[in-house]
Amino acid sequence: NAGVTQTPKFRILKIGQSMTLQCTQDMNHNYMYWYRQDPGMGLKLIYYSVGAGITDKGEVPNGYNVSRSTTEDFPLRLELAAPSQTSVYFCATRDRLTYEQYFGPGTRLTVT
Amino acid sequence: AQSVTQLGSHVSVSEGALVLLRCNYSSSVPPYLFWYVQYPNQGLQLLLKYTSAATLVKGINGFEAEFKKSETSFHLTKPSAHMSDAAEYFCAVSDPTGNQFYFGTGTSLTVIP
């Protein structure tokens, strides 16, 4: 089992460009999450999903969009990249019964 | 919303010494509390979790944490530090529904040989 995979690993964007961060899981978990990690700030929740077709905002959703058409995939979309979106992005799933989260390896994004 | 405070962004201990990483949560008791570890350039891995079954929780790699409601704390300890314990440690709590999670700002642990 691959667990949670994220692509790309690294990306440099120019201000105003758009991109999609991909997240795929093979754990059959309904719950999926997107976090951003900034130095000294811990992880902040951007969006989460409790199942296919259902998404909800977290603490810092502005500038991002998500969709959840399948159980396996939970892409994060940046429409107009800004320097403030420079961060490391982590996708995670959550086990329905244990509430434990499983994290992907992260995507390091730089916006210049 | 829940909040988590981790006192000490950097902690250094000698190899073989006690490790104590502090975590305090906001006043309402969350259903679940967690400690995660992050090694350089990797995602987070679960160390242990509290789910009200027992106040002293044992995790992987010899770590344990004690839930103290009176102190709103969930400190992480390990009796004897090993070089391989050097990493960033995050405390996290769930919201009352268990759907959302709030992370502390992290504590970077350095182990001195």
Side-chain angles (χ1 to χ4, degrees), chain A residues 31 33 35 37 40-43 45 48 50 57-59 90 94 98-101 103-105 108, chain B residues 32 34 36 38 41-46 49 51 88 90 97-106:
Chain A
Y31 295 79
Y33 301 81
Y35 294 93
Q37 183 180 27
M41 299 295 291
L43 275 74
L45 181 63
Y48 69 101
V50 301
K57 296 178 180 178
E59 290 180 88
F90 288 101
R94 194 208 93 186
T98 67
Y99 290 81
E100 296 170 15
Q101 292 189 291
F103 287 81
R108 186 175 295 274
Chain B
Y32 304 97
F34 306 84
Y36 286 87
Q38 184 181 33
N41 300 315
Q42 293 186 26
L44 281 68
Q45 303 170 35
L46 180 69
K49 71 177 182 191
T51 59
E88 185 106 21
F90 292 93
T97 67
N99 286 344
Q100 294 194 52
F101 298 85
Y102 301 90
F103 285 77
T105 52

Side-chain angles (χ1 to χ4, degrees), chain A residues 83-111:
Chain A
S84 60
Q85 294 178 305
T86 293
S87 188
V88 181
Y89 291 84
F90 288 101
C91 178
T93 69
R94 194 208 93 186
D95 185 286
R96 182 177 65 86
L97 296 176
T98 67
Y99 290 81
E100 296 170 15
Q101 292 189 291
Y102 298 83
F103 287 81
T107 294
R108 186 175 295 274
L109 176 67
T110 302
V111 182

Side-chain angles (χ1 to χ4, degrees), chain B residues 50-106:
Chain B
Y50 166 77
T51 59
S52 76
T55 57
L56 183 62
V57 181
K58 293 188 185 298
I60 62 172
N61 301 337
F63 283 93
E64 60 182 39
E66 186 172 9
F67 172 72
K68 291 187 176 180
K69 184 178 178 180
S70 60
E71 299 177 7
T72 62
S73 69
F74 189 55
H75 301 332
L76 182 71
T77 60
K78 182 174 180 177
S80 176
H82 191 272
M83 296 299 294
S84 61
D85 295 327
E88 185 106 21
Y89 292 81
F90 292 93
C91 182
V93 302
S94 70
D95 72 352
T97 67
N99 286 344
Q100 294 194 52
F101 298 85
Y102 301 90
F103 285 77
T105 52

